[in-house]
Amino acid sequence: MRIDLSSGTLDYVDTGGDGPTVVLLHGLLMDSSLWDAAIADLAADHRCVAPTLPLGAHRHPVSGDLSLPAIARLVEEFLDRLDLHDVTLVGNDTGGALVQLLLAAKSDRVARAVLVSCEAFDNVPPGLTGKVLVASGRLSPRLFGVFMQQLRLRPVRRSPIAFGWLTKRGDATTARWIRPVLSSQEIRRDTVRMLRAIDGRDVAEATTALASFHRPALVVWAAEDRVMPPEHGHRLAELLPDSRLVEVADSYTLVPLDQPVPLADAIRNFVMTAVI
């Protein structure tokens, strides 16, 4: 599916259905397919909506501000245009930072929040992976494209400077994510603009504001995470007034790729409990 918003066209997945609505947000150099396996499970009793945001693996060039707060506002516009209410907003990796920004903005469409191994506090850009990616954004779009060509090689994709510390099992998916930035000059320009606009202070302020989010929240963290510190999961669960923490074994940051079924179970149980 596609929708035209103020900044441009977004692709999105919408399973439809009468169950509770779950909106799922991905991270940098990713698209909505991050959530495919989890959606396959959740769609039996939930309406699952997953946009592909302008974070480097999008297919349609966009205009305007590409800072994280601006992309969070684009998510809010997306929710408005689809007229989604009582939403459970889920974010992994940078998607979790976007969730925090929306909560800080006090979105009235978000009834519950799920943060899955994500940027928080001072961890922006996150770990070696994030620091290398953001540093590459200082290159011109042409040189950025040359730099990204290295990710065609599996050993590079599986290295700590790329996706190697983000997922144990998702290499085939990550190989698809890099295609737009390799094939489209416009997408490379968008990605460079987005990377240059990342400001860790935006996320740190949003994380602090979570103390005033009194609706139900779930924190899901990969026990073996090497990019998002596991202690941040505990700190987030303590900061959020109405929250619980679930740790997922045998997974790196991208829990939707490494352990989609336990993640779907955790989200389902959380929504069922929170809705009652």
mmCIF file of all heavy atoms in Angstrom, residues 214-236:
data_model
loop_
_atom_site.group_PDB
_atom_site.id
_atom_site.type_symbol
_atom_site.label_atom_id
_atom_site.label_comp_id
_atom_site.label_asym_id
_atom_site.label_seq_id
_atom_site.Cartn_x
_atom_site.Cartn_y
_atom_site.Cartn_z
ATOM 1 N N HIS A 214 2.020 7.877 31.431
ATOM 2 C CA HIS A 214 1.375 7.038 32.442
ATOM 3 C C HIS A 214 0.496 5.941 31.852
ATOM 4 O O HIS A 214 -0.216 5.269 32.587
ATOM 5 C CB HIS A 214 0.563 7.921 33.395
ATOM 6 C CG HIS A 214 1.424 8.793 34.269
ATOM 7 N ND1 HIS A 214 1.983 8.346 35.445
ATOM 8 C CD2 HIS A 214 1.856 10.079 34.099
ATOM 9 C CE1 HIS A 214 2.699 9.309 35.986
ATOM 10 N NE2 HIS A 214 2.641 10.377 35.196
ATOM 11 N N ARG A 215 0.555 5.778 30.538
ATOM 12 C CA ARG A 215 -0.188 4.688 29.915
ATOM 13 C C ARG A 215 0.673 3.416 29.942
ATOM 14 O O ARG A 215 1.874 3.468 30.193
ATOM 15 C CB ARG A 215 -0.560 5.076 28.484
ATOM 16 C CG ARG A 215 -1.447 6.312 28.425
ATOM 17 C CD ARG A 215 -1.596 6.862 27.023
ATOM 18 N NE ARG A 215 -2.291 8.144 27.027
ATOM 19 C CZ ARG A 215 -2.429 8.931 25.974
ATOM 20 N NH1 ARG A 215 -1.910 8.573 24.807
ATOM 21 N NH2 ARG A 215 -3.058 10.087 26.073
ATOM 22 N N PRO A 216 0.068 2.244 29.671
ATOM 23 C CA PRO A 216 0.843 1.005 29.754
ATOM 24 C C PRO A 216 1.999 0.965 28.757
ATOM 25 O O PRO A 216 1.880 1.432 27.616
ATOM 26 C CB PRO A 216 -0.201 -0.077 29.424
ATOM 27 C CG PRO A 216 -1.519 0.546 29.758
ATOM 28 C CD PRO A 216 -1.368 2.000 29.419
ATOM 29 N N ALA A 217 3.115 0.421 29.199
ATOM 30 C CA ALA A 217 4.306 0.303 28.357
ATOM 31 C C ALA A 217 4.976 -1.041 28.602
ATOM 32 O O ALA A 217 4.918 -1.601 29.696
ATOM 33 C CB ALA A 217 5.281 1.440 28.638
ATOM 34 N N LEU A 218 5.605 -1.533 27.550
ATOM 35 C CA LEU A 218 6.359 -2.778 27.613
ATOM 36 C C LEU A 218 7.746 -2.499 27.062
ATOM 37 O O LEU A 218 7.894 -1.880 26.013
ATOM 38 C CB LEU A 218 5.673 -3.866 26.781
ATOM 39 C CG LEU A 218 6.424 -5.201 26.629
ATOM 40 C CD1 LEU A 218 6.509 -5.933 27.971
ATOM 41 C CD2 LEU A 218 5.733 -6.082 25.580
ATOM 42 N N VAL A 219 8.763 -2.969 27.766
ATOM 43 C CA VAL A 219 10.140 -2.879 27.296
ATOM 44 C C VAL A 219 10.618 -4.300 27.010
ATOM 45 O O VAL A 219 10.577 -5.167 27.889
ATOM 46 C CB VAL A 219 11.052 -2.204 28.347
ATOM 47 C CG1 VAL A 219 12.495 -2.154 27.848
ATOM 48 C CG2 VAL A 219 10.542 -0.810 28.690
ATOM 49 N N VAL A 220 11.032 -4.532 25.771
ATOM 50 C CA VAL A 220 11.537 -5.849 25.357
ATOM 51 C C VAL A 220 12.983 -5.667 24.938
ATOM 52 O O VAL A 220 13.281 -4.842 24.065
ATOM 53 C CB VAL A 220 10.719 -6.432 24.184
ATOM 54 C CG1 VAL A 220 11.253 -7.806 23.792
ATOM 55 C CG2 VAL A 220 9.233 -6.502 24.534
ATOM 56 N N TRP A 221 13.878 -6.433 25.546
ATOM 57 C CA TRP A 221 15.301 -6.230 25.258
ATOM 58 C C TRP A 221 15.977 -7.557 24.954
ATOM 59 O O TRP A 221 15.686 -8.580 25.569
ATOM 60 C CB TRP A 221 15.992 -5.579 26.447
ATOM 61 C CG TRP A 221 16.959 -4.509 26.034
ATOM 62 C CD1 TRP A 221 18.307 -4.626 25.871
ATOM 63 C CD2 TRP A 221 16.633 -3.146 25.735
ATOM 64 N NE1 TRP A 221 18.849 -3.428 25.485
ATOM 65 C CE2 TRP A 221 17.839 -2.497 25.394
ATOM 66 C CE3 TRP A 221 15.441 -2.422 25.713
ATOM 67 C CZ2 TRP A 221 17.891 -1.144 25.038
ATOM 68 C CZ3 TRP A 221 15.483 -1.089 25.363
ATOM 69 C CH2 TRP A 221 16.694 -0.459 25.032
ATOM 70 N N ALA A 222 16.885 -7.502 23.984
ATOM 71 C CA ALA A 222 17.684 -8.684 23.651
ATOM 72 C C ALA A 222 18.755 -8.886 24.720
ATOM 73 O O ALA A 222 19.556 -7.980 24.984
ATOM 74 C CB ALA A 222 18.340 -8.502 22.287
ATOM 75 N N ALA A 223 18.765 -10.053 25.321
ATOM 76 C CA ALA A 223 19.705 -10.321 26.410
ATOM 77 C C ALA A 223 21.153 -10.259 25.941
ATOM 78 O O ALA A 223 22.059 -9.955 26.733
ATOM 79 C CB ALA A 223 19.406 -11.683 27.030
ATOM 80 N N GLU A 224 21.396 -10.533 24.650
ATOM 81 C CA GLU A 224 22.761 -10.530 24.115
ATOM 82 C C GLU A 224 23.065 -9.282 23.290
ATOM 83 O O GLU A 224 24.004 -9.276 22.494
ATOM 84 C CB GLU A 224 22.978 -11.782 23.252
ATOM 85 C CG GLU A 224 22.836 -13.087 23.999
ATOM 86 C CD GLU A 224 23.033 -14.285 23.086
ATOM 87 O OE1 GLU A 224 23.932 -14.243 22.217
ATOM 88 O OE2 GLU A 224 22.271 -15.259 23.224
ATOM 89 N N ASP A 225 22.289 -8.226 23.491
ATOM 90 C CA ASP A 225 22.459 -7.021 22.678
ATOM 91 C C ASP A 225 23.861 -6.441 22.848
ATOM 92 O O ASP A 225 24.333 -6.253 23.967
ATOM 93 C CB ASP A 225 21.416 -5.971 23.066
ATOM 94 C CG ASP A 225 21.093 -5.035 21.932
ATOM 95 O OD1 ASP A 225 22.038 -4.581 21.250
ATOM 96 O OD2 ASP A 225 19.908 -4.757 21.708
ATOM 97 N N ARG A 226 24.501 -6.129 21.720
ATOM 98 C CA ARG A 226 25.853 -5.573 21.735
ATOM 99 C C ARG A 226 25.871 -4.127 21.240
ATOM 100 O O ARG A 226 26.927 -3.520 21.137
ATOM 101 C CB ARG A 226 26.776 -6.443 20.877
ATOM 102 C CG ARG A 226 26.763 -7.889 21.309
ATOM 103 C CD ARG A 226 27.519 -8.790 20.365
ATOM 104 N NE ARG A 226 28.960 -8.691 20.538
ATOM 105 C CZ ARG A 226 29.839 -9.467 19.904
ATOM 106 N NH1 ARG A 226 29.423 -10.381 19.050
ATOM 107 N NH2 ARG A 226 31.128 -9.318 20.114
ATOM 108 N N VAL A 227 24.698 -3.595 20.892
ATOM 109 C CA VAL A 227 24.592 -2.227 20.390
ATOM 110 C C VAL A 227 23.755 -1.364 21.331
ATOM 111 O O VAL A 227 24.097 -0.216 21.599
ATOM 112 C CB VAL A 227 23.992 -2.214 18.959
ATOM 113 C CG1 VAL A 227 23.814 -0.792 18.450
ATOM 114 C CG2 VAL A 227 24.884 -3.009 17.995
ATOM 115 N N MET A 228 22.657 -1.900 21.815
ATOM 116 C CA MET A 228 21.793 -1.218 22.777
ATOM 117 C C MET A 228 22.028 -1.867 24.148
ATOM 118 O O MET A 228 21.637 -3.018 24.354
ATOM 119 C CB MET A 228 20.317 -1.345 22.382
ATOM 120 C CG MET A 228 20.014 -1.045 20.930
ATOM 121 S SD MET A 228 20.377 0.659 20.454
ATOM 122 C CE MET A 228 19.980 0.574 18.684
ATOM 123 N N PRO A 229 22.697 -1.193 25.076
ATOM 124 C CA PRO A 229 23.078 -1.827 26.347
ATOM 125 C C PRO A 229 21.890 -2.417 27.090
ATOM 126 O O PRO A 229 20.878 -1.729 27.297
ATOM 127 C CB PRO A 229 23.701 -0.671 27.138
ATOM 128 C CG PRO A 229 24.133 0.320 26.107
ATOM 129 C CD PRO A 229 23.135 0.211 24.992
ATOM 130 N N PRO A 230 21.962 -3.678 27.507
ATOM 131 C CA PRO A 230 20.850 -4.281 28.249
ATOM 132 C C PRO A 230 20.445 -3.493 29.496
ATOM 133 O O PRO A 230 19.268 -3.486 29.864
ATOM 134 C CB PRO A 230 21.382 -5.675 28.605
ATOM 135 C CG PRO A 230 22.306 -6.003 27.470
ATOM 136 C CD PRO A 230 22.984 -4.693 27.150
ATOM 137 N N GLU A 231 21.413 -2.806 30.120
ATOM 138 C CA GLU A 231 21.034 -2.020 31.299
ATOM 139 C C GLU A 231 20.084 -0.879 30.938
ATOM 140 O O GLU A 231 19.320 -0.406 31.787
ATOM 141 C CB GLU A 231 22.271 -1.471 32.017
ATOM 142 C CG GLU A 231 23.164 -0.573 31.191
ATOM 143 C CD GLU A 231 24.318 -1.328 30.529
ATOM 144 O OE1 GLU A 231 24.170 -2.536 30.258
ATOM 145 O OE2 GLU A 231 25.355 -0.684 30.285
ATOM 146 N N HIS A 232 20.105 -0.451 29.660
ATOM 147 C CA HIS A 232 19.157 0.581 29.243
ATOM 148 C C HIS A 232 17.726 0.059 29.276
ATOM 149 O O HIS A 232 16.791 0.822 29.537
ATOM 150 C CB HIS A 232 19.510 1.090 27.847
ATOM 151 C CG HIS A 232 20.638 2.073 27.842
ATOM 152 N ND1 HIS A 232 21.003 2.789 26.731
ATOM 153 C CD2 HIS A 232 21.488 2.464 28.835
ATOM 154 C CE1 HIS A 232 22.027 3.582 27.032
ATOM 155 N NE2 HIS A 232 22.344 3.389 28.293
ATOM 156 N N GLY A 233 17.552 -1.226 28.992
ATOM 157 C CA GLY A 233 16.219 -1.806 29.104
ATOM 158 C C GLY A 233 15.696 -1.713 30.521
ATOM 159 O O GLY A 233 14.530 -1.336 30.761
ATOM 160 N N HIS A 234 16.553 -2.029 31.490
ATOM 161 C CA HIS A 234 16.149 -1.942 32.898
ATOM 162 C C HIS A 234 15.860 -0.494 33.302
ATOM 163 O O HIS A 234 14.879 -0.215 34.002
ATOM 164 C CB HIS A 234 17.245 -2.527 33.786
ATOM 165 C CG HIS A 234 17.410 -4.009 33.659
ATOM 166 N ND1 HIS A 234 16.684 -4.916 34.406
ATOM 167 C CD2 HIS A 234 18.207 -4.751 32.844
ATOM 168 C CE1 HIS A 234 17.032 -6.150 34.075
ATOM 169 N NE2 HIS A 234 17.949 -6.074 33.120
ATOM 170 N N ARG A 235 16.703 0.426 32.821
ATOM 171 C CA ARG A 235 16.504 1.842 33.160
ATOM 172 C C ARG A 235 15.192 2.368 32.563
ATOM 173 O O ARG A 235 14.475 3.132 33.227
ATOM 174 C CB ARG A 235 17.682 2.670 32.657
ATOM 175 C CG ARG A 235 18.962 2.477 33.455
ATOM 176 C CD ARG A 235 20.104 3.265 32.840
ATOM 177 N NE ARG A 235 19.860 4.710 32.878
ATOM 178 C CZ ARG A 235 20.649 5.611 32.268
ATOM 179 N NH1 ARG A 235 21.704 5.201 31.566
ATOM 180 N NH2 ARG A 235 20.356 6.905 32.365
ATOM 181 N N LEU A 236 14.881 1.965 31.337
ATOM 182 C CA LEU A 236 13.629 2.407 30.723
ATOM 183 C C LEU A 236 12.424 1.868 31.487
ATOM 184 O O LEU A 236 11.436 2.582 31.711
ATOM 185 C CB LEU A 236 13.569 1.959 29.265
ATOM 186 C CG LEU A 236 14.440 2.741 28.284
ATOM 187 C CD1 LEU A 236 14.501 2.024 26.942
ATOM 188 C CD2 LEU A 236 13.910 4.157 28.100
#
